[in-house]
Amino acid sequence: MKKDFEENETMFVKRVFAAIAHEKRLKSKITQARLSEMVGITDVYLRCIESGKNAPNWIVWLKLCTVLKVDIFEIQRKYIEPCLNVDLNFSDF
């Protein structure tokens, strides 16, 4: 059961980032070929990321976020923190 939840969570995050990356790329008027060149990946891999088929590794993810001016902390607040099973209120320390 836990494995199913984690797989669904991973798929959700992949799809969310795919949509964000695609939208930002289009708004920036950057082609897939140019973005993949800027980031140092193939355009085939970028298409797989934008379609949600593949999740980029951390280095590629950070490069994409940097080039596309994606707010990493907004993604964290909106999509990662709600999935955590912990209280993030550290004011007790």
Side-chain angles (χ1 to χ4, degrees), residues 4-44:
D4 290 339
F5 175 76
E6 289 172 357
E7 287 174 3
N8 289 337
E9 189 176 85
T10 300
M11 287 300 297
F12 173 75
V13 171
K14 277 198 284 190
R15 281 188 288 232
V16 166
F17 184 71
I20 291 169
H22 180 75
E23 180 183 333
K24 291 278 193 173
R25 182 182 61 75
L26 292 177
K27 283 185 179 179
S28 300
K29 297 181 180 171
I30 301 172
T31 65
Q32 285 181 328
R34 178 67 182 128
L35 180 58
S36 61
E37 182 181 291
M38 295 168 77
V39 175
I41 60 175
T42 67
D43 57 332
V44 172

Side-chain angles (χ1 to χ4, degrees), residues 3 9 11-12 15 17 19-20 30 33 39 42 51 53 65 70 72 74 77-78 82-83 89:
K3 183 179 179 190
E9 189 176 85
M11 287 300 297
F12 173 75
R15 281 188 288 232
F17 184 71
I20 291 169
I30 301 172
V39 175
T42 67
S51 69
K53 290 180 184 175
C65 287
V70 172
I72 296 168
E74 181 179 351
R77 281 188 301 276
K78 287 174 83 173
C83 296
N89 182 2

Side-chain angles (χ1 to χ4, degrees), residues 38-78:
M38 295 168 77
V39 175
I41 60 175
T42 67
D43 57 332
V44 172
Y45 184 43
L46 180 60
R47 282 195 301 273
C48 289
I49 292 169
E50 282 193 1
S51 69
K53 290 180 184 175
N54 290 70
N57 66 38
W58 282 104
I59 299 299
V60 171
W61 188 79
L62 288 171
K63 287 179 180 181
L64 286 169
C65 287
T66 301
V67 170
L68 297 173
K69 296 181 171 89
V70 172
D71 184 348
I72 296 168
F73 296 109
E74 181 179 351
I75 291 173
Q76 178 186 2
R77 281 188 301 276
K78 287 174 83 173

Side-chain angles (χ1 to χ4, degrees), residues 2 5-6 9 80-88:
K2 183 176 178 183
F5 175 76
E6 289 172 357
E9 189 176 85
I80 305 301
E81 288 179 7
C83 296
L84 297 175
N85 294 321
V86 296
D87 180 9
L88 295 176

